[in-house]
Amino acid sequence: MSVGFQAVQWNRFKIIYDLVLWIGAITLVVVFILVTNATQSEGESYHPVQLVLRAFGLTAIVLLFITLSIGPLARLSDRFKPLLYNRRHMGVTVFLFAFLHAALVLVWYHGFSETNIFVSLLSTNSNYGQVYGFPFEALGLAAFLILFVMAATSHDFWLDFLSAPVWKLIHMMVYPAYALVVGHLVLGALQDQTSLFSAWAVSGAAVALIGLHLMAGWKEARDDKRADRKAEDGWLDAGEPCDIPEGRAVIIAPKGGERIAVFRDGDQVAALSSVCRHQNGPLGEGHVRDGCVVCPWHGWEYRLEDGRAPAPFTEKIATYPVRLVDGRVQVRAKPLPPGTYSEPVTVYVEDIEGEPA
Amino acid sequence: MSKPPLKPRISKEPFVGYASTPSIDRRFLLGFGAVTIGLTSAMGYMIAKTQPGGGRGSWDMGTQVELAGSVYAAPYAYMRMLVNGRVQTVLLGCETKCGAKERLDDIAFETGGAIVRGSLLERDGYQMLATAAGADWIEPRPVEAPPEPVIEDLGEARLTGEILDTKCWFGAMRPNEGLSHKACAMLCIASGVPPYFGIRDAQGRERALMITDPDGNALVQPILEFVAEPIEVVGRIIRIDDLFQFRMDVGSVRRLV
């Protein structure tokens, strides 16, 4: 949420996040290098360049796995949600390590000859028709290009410039990139291993990642099913006002429609789209602060009554008319255009007595 | 119209990145970070510990040496020297990914005595001189010549092993075998680095034989696709002093994986 361009809007949380991230990354590189050197048989050694390029590649893959795990972990438990806030820094760090790995590979393995390094990379080994001996470098290159595009467009400027759906589509390419990286490893470095440990690590990580996403998807589908409400005369039931905790929301998920977040701020109840304009974050899992709904992912804010970001910001989301019938909150199924004022409904003290919050 | 109450999907104090982090989040995140660093370090430790060794060989690039002997341009550039009364073969390469044959061709040098300058790559008795850049890398002149080569036909053999590029295998790179190194080895051999066939002898020791065609000429293009893969191949082994040639029948190559 930025009205003017700023490369990084640093704050204390981001600084500590990045510090821990880089301590972890550098520790992994150092451990890998020291242990490799310490465990060589007599007369054997790694060339320093090859050792470092392997350490960078390993670090990129490990960080990519962690980056991809954060999304489903945050869906499974609120405790992991803060990790999403600065996840793009981890993504860019993945790219930096992948870049260092790729640059060293390119220069070391494909340089120092009369053949152009890129020509060599793409054409020296052209055994695309076989599994063993397949030019696994091509898979790594494809993954690298995806990571490059993602890193280059990671700033919110590009989100605004490309529009949220296009930006989201580009950044969902991280999953094909991960698959390409696994293929790069399986057809390359893993083939030279004499121990099965690395193969187990790669396959275990892939299975864990798939499992986490399936669990998160299953939980979301279950929550949506519970939150499903059929419209009667175009209005959806959102329960009693006391079911909505102070400053929080309940989410309605009408079949085929967008999730709706029904917030209560004191005695005012209003409904907004539960989808943040930023990265489709779950607004309904956020909270109300100074009359604005705050997205739990990156802190984007929208006014409760009209779905508009407070000035000078210009983002806006759809609002929904709300009414109180027989002591129950009802929300109109059809949204109003983004940014349209919709009068919040006032609930009475007796309606929110015994509130769960 | 009524259904059971909807449950909010939140369960804790709200977190806002740019505001003060709630203590419950702070504690959890620092713990999560510490555990993650511990686990990734353990993973790095295990992967490093279980990976194959880097390989033998060395290249002392900083030390320039002069070797005197008989230089040959075919099948690949090499020289024969007398060392302590015994003939020793040293391949001639260059400082980048190329062989010295082209450099010999450039000065129309075929066979004869010379002083050759460069840096030495060595692995278990195998040697290559990475000839120095610049025009004075070779000085053709009469030197103490080794005796005429003793050529011995050791017969036909079916060998199992891997096609290697000598410069990397002698020590320019470590690791220098296997698929991770395949493209590099292919590029080296295609660029003029002599190819060898790496095997293990009956005692499990690493041996490498110079690859040629059945007539003893350089063999490059037909073998490229098999480089760095485990293969079985038939050929004739010829011993020339301390050098073993493997005159390979490319048509007999069988991939083992």
Side-chain angles (χ1 to χ4, degrees), chain A residues 2-16:
Chain A
S2 173
V3 69
F5 180 83
Q6 196 176 332
V8 181
Q9 291 176 308
W10 288 107
N11 56 44
R12 185 180 157 79
F13 182 85
K14 286 185 182 180
I15 291 168
I16 294 173

Side-chain angles (χ1 to χ4, degrees), chain A residues 147-179:
Chain A
L147 293 176
F148 169 72
V149 172
M150 288 178 60
T153 60
S154 65
H155 195 276
D156 277 349
F157 165 80
W158 288 100
L159 176 68
D160 192 46
F161 182 75
L162 295 168
S163 80
V166 173
W167 190 90
K168 190 82 183 172
L169 184 70
I170 290 171
H171 287 251
M172 289 299 279
M173 291 295 285
V174 70
Y175 290 102
Y178 182 74

